[in-house]
């Protein structure tokens, strides 16, 4: 059962914009944090941006000023607004969520199946 679902990927020209969405349950959405990762062909998966349950955000240097991570607490959806896209942003983008069900529990990681973003003219 897929518990986090990405959408919004596609083909966009360099300099263009795209918005990714990650929908999940309220229980997962209200966990420790959520994040976007990406993996380009032949490369390791890398962290793009993180948002905590308190709303604090963190960005990888290579997307600062171009990407914005946000959450809609009413819809349980996390977004990644991507602007000024470059060919090197081409990758599969994955939604990640982390929860800790109880004080003494181990953390649980959730991954989506990914959505392809291709930046090309």
């Amino acid at each position: 059962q897929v518990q986090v679902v990405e959408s919004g990927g596609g083909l966009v020209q360099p300099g263009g914009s795209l918005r990714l969405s990650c929908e999940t349950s309220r229980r997962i959405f209200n966990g420790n944090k959520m994040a976007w990762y990406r993996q380009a062909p032949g490369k390791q998966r890398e962290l793009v941006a993180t948002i905590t349950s308190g709303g604090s955000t963190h960005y990888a240097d290579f997307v600062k000023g171009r990407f914005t991570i946000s959450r809609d607490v009413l819809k349980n959806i996390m977004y990644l607004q991507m602007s000024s896209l470059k060919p090197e942003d081409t990758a599969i983008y994955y939604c990640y969520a982390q929860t800790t069900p109880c004080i003494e529990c181990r953390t649980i990681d959730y991954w989506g199946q990914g959505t392809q973003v291709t930046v090309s003219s």
Side-chain angles (χ1 to χ4, degrees):
Q1 180 182 2
V2 179
Q3 304 205 55
V4 290
V5 181
E6 307 97 334
S7 62
L11 174 64
V12 63
Q13 292 187 342
S17 298
L18 209 57
R19 188 178 76 164
L20 305 182
S21 300
C22 174
E23 188 170 1
T24 186
S25 68
R26 178 166 297 275
R27 175 182 62 83
I28 294 174
F29 185 85
N30 289 332
N32 302 336
K33 61 182 177 181
M34 295 184 71
W36 289 98
Y37 283 76
R38 71 185 188 185
Q39 187 168 18
K43 295 187 177 181
Q44 290 189 330
R45 191 172 297 189
E46 59 185 0
L47 177 65
V48 175
T50 303
I51 186 164
T52 68
S53 58
S56 298
T57 59
H58 168 80
Y59 296 92
D61 287 343
F62 53 79
V63 301
K64 281 183 179 177
R66 299 190 299 124
F67 291 10
T68 302
I69 190 170
S70 63
R71 306 191 316 161
D72 186 326
V73 297
L74 296 179
K75 297 180 179 179
N76 302 328
I77 299 177
M78 176 180 67
Y79 299 102
L80 184 68
Q81 179 66 48
M82 305 184 293
S83 303
S84 302
L85 283 162
K86 306 174 183 179
E88 50 263 44
D89 293 318
T90 295
I92 299 175
Y93 284 71
Y94 295 92
C95 176
Y96 165 82
Q98 183 192 82
T99 66
T100 305
C102 64
I103 294 176
E104 297 182 351
C105 293
R106 302 173 71 174
T107 59
I108 300 176
D109 298 323
Y110 299 89
W111 290 96
Q113 294 181 319
T115 185
Q116 177 71 46
V117 172
T118 302
V119 184
S120 174
S121 55

